[in-house]
């Protein structure tokens, strides 16, 4: 089983670099790259996060997205000394080459984000992992995943991602992409997915998919965001409620598949859609009764993220500064 | 990552028992329990299999099934000295308790097969693993899985099962049930499955599911077996060909899901349905183009078992006699 720290070993260890700069107590820059927003914060040597810098993820070309990333990085660093950086990025990515091709950031295809960020940090080392793997690591060490041996940490947001902890260790997979539950297929006749397949969990469960389905079925909200959809559902709007139900059913099927394959103890769900946990949880538990059959599948615990938006940054910190985990 | 050998550690190590009986070169009895047939053979100290004993799996009650198992075991042993036994059984099972509840053997629910077989062998140790895990181990060490780090070994037969090798080791899962690809959900609105869920790969891809669908769609073969269905398909019968196509599509969706979650190098397919590889392979490869989107999912190699029916017994041998693997 590959430890993600090994995956990042193409760059020198951050601790060695900190020693070279005679600053073993330097902070590390943690970055979270998602389809909706870019976030960055310093991770102090004691594992705590500094002030959070965020920007919406630009819809434009590669350089426009990178300029926004540079802006959050610069804001988070704030002129302090850093020994290196860790990036948790939406997938897929190539952890060996240091490139990312996030499904929901069309401007980046094979974008060399690791080396570009390293250049911005005067050559300091940068580690790159899948954002959902980072989130799973955060939950496993600091949040709702504590105390189990086999878990899936999920992010249900603009996309649907996941990271696996198996037998108490990150399972990164042959190419660093394990845990992509959003692209498990739950609907043989389903809609095409931007990934190139069809019927993927993400085509039904993601926030944009929910809004798209609700609009196609007559919903008219204050605006076309997931937040507005959740508000309508809380007001008792039938189509908005049905959108949550439909999302939860595909999510339940994906979770059941992951439990059948990986024999999990627990699934931890975070991300924007999970923030409407009051709306998501009841239909999700009802749908698990339909899609989880075998006893070892039914026993999987489903819980909400305890760290919300910070799981990814804390997980990146745990990967880069394992002694603080 | 739990090595399956650890899972079996509730019983003394076979090598220790062999030493106690002053017969370090004794053979081990390997048993394969499936929904269609029961098979057993001695594994010689050099890893080779002795003559194969088989019986159809009875459809009756628990004792009737066990009597058939005892018969194949006795025939395979043939009066020789054995140091212990290894069982690869259709799942689900409880590797700690030593009990099995195979979906396609309704007579066995929580059946204590490990202890019952141990009693038959005068208390000699018996190891129990999932049959598909055993099959994956066999392919990994001796067959079509050689040379990779992350693979899924599948059996497509009366049921659809699987076993995972991740980072070069068996991944057995939290309860010893990892790899149950037959119960991943690929059809949200699909038919109920005997496991209690609905839309599972097995409800579409298994041999009996193919025959059931073909009969419901007007096929009339020589008899209602998968072999007769394959014969019709080779004769150009449209419904029989469509049954293979439908089976292959659900299989492709399940494989794509497994690859998205576990980032696999290779999938090795064995079992009765895979014996009609000339009929299964073309629609399977075509369907992978529909259901495998991301580059790391598309790169998974799909190959036919190199060991056919012997993968399970050889895998059990590799688990019980690791030095012969």
């Amino acid at each position: 089983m590959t430890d993600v720290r090994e995956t990042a070993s193409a760059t020198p260890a951050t601790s060695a670099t900190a020693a070279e700069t005679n600053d073993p107590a330097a902070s590390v820059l943690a970055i979270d790259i998602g389809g909706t927003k870019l976030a960055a914060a310093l991770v102090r040597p004691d594992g705590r996060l500094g002030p959070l810098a965020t920007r919406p993820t630009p819809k434009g070309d590669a350089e426009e997205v990178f300029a926004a990333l540079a802006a959050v990085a610069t804001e988070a660093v704030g002129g302090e000394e850093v020994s290196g950086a860790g990036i948790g990025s939406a997938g897929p990515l190539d952890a060996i080459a240091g490139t990312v091709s996030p499904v929901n950031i069309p401007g980046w295809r094979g974008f060399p984000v690791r080396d570009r960020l390293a250049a911005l940090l005067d050559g300091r080392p940068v580690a790159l992992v899948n954002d959902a793997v980072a989130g799973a690591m955060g939950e496993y060490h600091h949040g709702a995943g504590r105390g189990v041996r086999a878990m899936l940490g999920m992010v249900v947001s603009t996309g649907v991602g996941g990271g696996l902890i198996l037998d108490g260790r990150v399972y990164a997979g042959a190419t660093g992409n394990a845990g992509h539950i959003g692209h498990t297929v739950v609907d043989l006749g389903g809609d095409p997915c931007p990934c190139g397949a069809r019927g993927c969990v993400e085509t039904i469960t993601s926030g944009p998919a929910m809004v798209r389905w609700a609009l196609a079925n007559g919903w008219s909200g204050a605006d076309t965001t997931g937040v507005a959809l959740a508000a309508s559902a809380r007001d008792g709007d039938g189509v908005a409620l049905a959108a949550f139900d439909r999302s939860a059913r595909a999510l339940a099927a994906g979770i059941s598949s992951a439990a059948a394959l990986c024999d999990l103890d627990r699934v931890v769900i975070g991300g924007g859609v999970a923030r409407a946990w009051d709306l998501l949880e009841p239909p999700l538990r009802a749908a698990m009764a339909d899609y989880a059959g075998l006893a070892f599948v039914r026993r999987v615990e489903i819980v909400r993220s305890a760290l919300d938006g910070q799981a990814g940054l804390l997980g990146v910190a745990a990967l880069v500064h394992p002694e603080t985990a």
Side-chain angles (χ1 to χ4, degrees), chain A residues 61-270:
Chain A
D61 68 13
E63 291 308 318
E64 192 181 335
V65 181
F66 187 74
L69 184 71
V72 290
T74 303
E75 181 182 330
V77 171
E80 286 192 40
E81 183 68 21
V82 296
S83 60
I87 302 174
S89 174
L93 54 79
D94 183 331
I96 309 300
T99 59
V100 299
S101 310
V103 175
N104 294 299
I105 307 179
W108 278 3
R109 288 295 172 267
F111 185 79
V113 69
R114 186 185 65 203
D115 292 349
R116 291 291 301 271
L117 186 67
L120 198 72
L121 298 174
D122 300 326
R124 288 183 176 78
V126 176
L128 171 65
V129 296
N130 188 291
D131 61 345
V133 171
M137 277 288 281
E139 296 290 346
Y140 180 68
H141 283 294
H142 302 287
R146 282 178 293 187
V148 300
R149 297 277 298 163
M151 67 161 268
L152 173 70
M154 292 190 63
V155 177
V156 182
S157 179
T158 311
V160 176
L164 288 167
I165 310 285
L166 302 180
D167 280 329
R169 302 177 63 185
V170 166
Y171 174 65
T175 66
N177 283 296
H180 264 79
I181 188 172
H183 299 283
T184 56
V185 176
V186 293
D187 187 1
L188 283 171
D191 291 338
C193 179
C195 81
R198 59 171 59 245
C200 297
V201 167
E202 188 167 294
T203 64
I204 305 174
T205 297
S206 77
M210 292 169 69
V211 168
R212 205 161 47 236
W213 183 88
L215 289 169
N217 284 274
W219 173 67
S220 55
D223 55 50
T224 60
T225 64
V227 172
L229 186 67
S232 286
R234 288 196 189 93
D235 287 343
D237 181 281
V239 174
L241 284 164
F244 273 91
D245 186 65
R246 183 171 177 269
S247 168
R249 291 185 67 79
L251 183 57
I255 289 172
S256 182
S257 294
L261 275 170
C262 298
D263 194 2
L264 302 169
D265 296 311
R266 194 176 291 169
V267 175
V268 178
I269 307 179

Side-chain angles (χ1 to χ4, degrees), chain A residues 260-296:
Chain A
L261 275 170
C262 298
D263 194 2
L264 302 169
D265 296 311
R266 194 176 291 169
V267 175
V268 178
I269 307 179
V273 173
R275 249 162 252 153
W277 192 245
D278 58 317
L279 296 167
L280 187 65
E281 185 185 16
L284 177 59
R285 297 209 185 279
M288 285 303 293
D290 278 353
Y291 296 116
L294 301 173
F296 79 92

Side-chain angles (χ1 to χ4, degrees), chain A residues 26-40:
Chain A
S27 297
V28 169
L29 173 62
I31 291 181
D32 187 23
I33 298 175
T36 303
K37 75 173 183 354
L38 307 172

